[in-house]
Amino acid sequence: MSEPTSLASFAITRRWPATHPDRLQLYSLATPNGIKVSVALEELGLPYEVHKVSFDTNDQMTPEFLSLNPNNKIPAIIDPNGPGGKPLALFESGAILVYLAEKTGKLMPADAHGRYECLQWLMFQMGGIGPMFGQLGHFYKFAADKVTDPYPRERYAGEVRRLLGVLDQRLDGRRFVMGEDYSIADISIFPWINTLGGYYGAGEITGLTSKANVQRWFAECMARPASQRGLTIPA
């Protein structure tokens, strides 16, 4: 396959045409993983165009979307102004956050030590908080009337409590995950905290409501104007 030379080279643009082909294209939904990228884009002030990938109509399973992300998950992006001026397509929210931070020189420490420390907390979210919170949400909210064995719910609730304890300890004496500076580590985590206590309604059983450091940090993350906008994108 030849290397894409413009936005029109990507099959996904035939299903979701770009009104502003010079802008970064975001294919997403307002889930915790999707919100991460929306919030980052709003924080960075990068011009972008959003396309809603509706799960209700299985948009994520269409050939056009699979041509961009064969793993059929949101979010995904195409940056028409990628490295070297060539278009860049990316999926996986963590990879997208790193790319946006490096593209702009913002939301991640510039020094090597700080950069790797930030990446480790991003990986903490990607490998721990995201999967475990998601599994708890499945068994606690969506499959509550389908699974009579309490083990799955208790298993994931216990792991979520442990992860919240790790986060609460990290935030002890720190304004944000990386200290005084807001970063992609914060952006990757707080949408999942929002979903855990809100949409899943699992704040009590996981001990979220008793984690003072997490609650203080979460309130500050949520209060940021970019967060308020990003939480509703796509509408």
Side-chain angles (χ1 to χ4, degrees):
M1 179 183 295
S2 60
E3 187 177 78
T5 57
S6 69
L7 198 59
S9 304
F10 294 88
I12 195 168
T13 62
R14 292 192 282 275
R15 185 177 181 91
W16 288 278
T19 303
H20 303 282
D22 57 323
R23 299 180 185 178
L24 186 147
Q25 304 293 304
L26 170 63
Y27 306 88
S28 191
L29 195 63
T31 67
N33 286 329
I35 287 167
K36 294 180 206 174
V37 177
S38 298
V39 169
L41 287 166
E42 289 293 320
E43 286 281 352
L44 294 168
L46 287 172
Y48 71 99
E49 181 175 355
V50 64
H51 305 279
K52 183 176 182 179
V53 180
S54 175
F55 292 169
D56 292 339
T57 52
N58 288 320
D59 284 350
Q60 76 278 18
M61 300 303 296
T62 60
E64 294 87 353
F65 187 78
L66 291 172
S67 71
L68 181 59
N69 183 0
N71 196 34
N72 65 273
K73 305 292 183 183
I74 58 93
I77 67 167
I78 302 174
D79 184 356
N81 303 301
K86 297 178 181 179
L88 176 70
L90 279 179
F91 61 88
E92 285 296 333
S93 58
I96 296 170
L97 288 179
V98 173
Y99 170 69
L100 294 176
E102 292 186 341
K103 176 183 175 73
T104 59
K106 299 177 181 178
L107 296 177
M108 187 163 61
D111 66 288
H113 285 81
R115 180 178 182 274
Y116 285 116
E117 188 178 356
C118 184
L119 288 175
Q120 83 176 351
W121 287 102
L122 175 63
M123 296 303 110
F124 168 75
Q125 184 279 306
M126 299 296 294
I129 282 181
M132 295 301 103
F133 283 29
Q135 290 295 333
L136 175 64
H138 175 77
F139 287 105
Y140 183 70
K141 182 179 178 70
F142 301 111
D145 59 343
K146 300 178 180 68
V147 180
T148 57
D149 187 340
Y151 176 77
R153 187 176 73 173
E154 292 172 1
R155 160 76 175 88
Y156 290 113
E159 181 62 6
V160 169
R161 283 192 291 270
R162 187 190 71 79
L163 291 165
L164 287 172
V166 173
L167 179 61
D168 198 65
Q169 183 179 36
R170 171 67 180 182
L171 290 167
D172 189 20
R174 290 183 175 88
R175 182 182 179 187
F176 297 113
V177 172
M178 290 300 296
E180 282 300 307
D181 296 326
Y182 189 66
S183 72
I184 57 173
D186 303 287
I187 291 173
S188 72
I189 297 171
F190 92 79
W192 280 103
I193 302 295
N194 184 50
T195 296
L196 180 70
Y199 186 57
Y200 292 165
E204 290 292 336
I205 69 161
T206 59
L208 173 61
T209 53
S210 67
K211 296 293 187 291
N213 295 321
V214 172
Q215 292 291 340
R216 182 264 312 156
W217 160 84
F218 173 64
E220 186 165 359
C221 290
M222 286 288 287
R224 296 175 72 91
S227 297
Q228 291 298 305
R229 295 192 298 271
L231 285 166
T232 64
I233 297 171

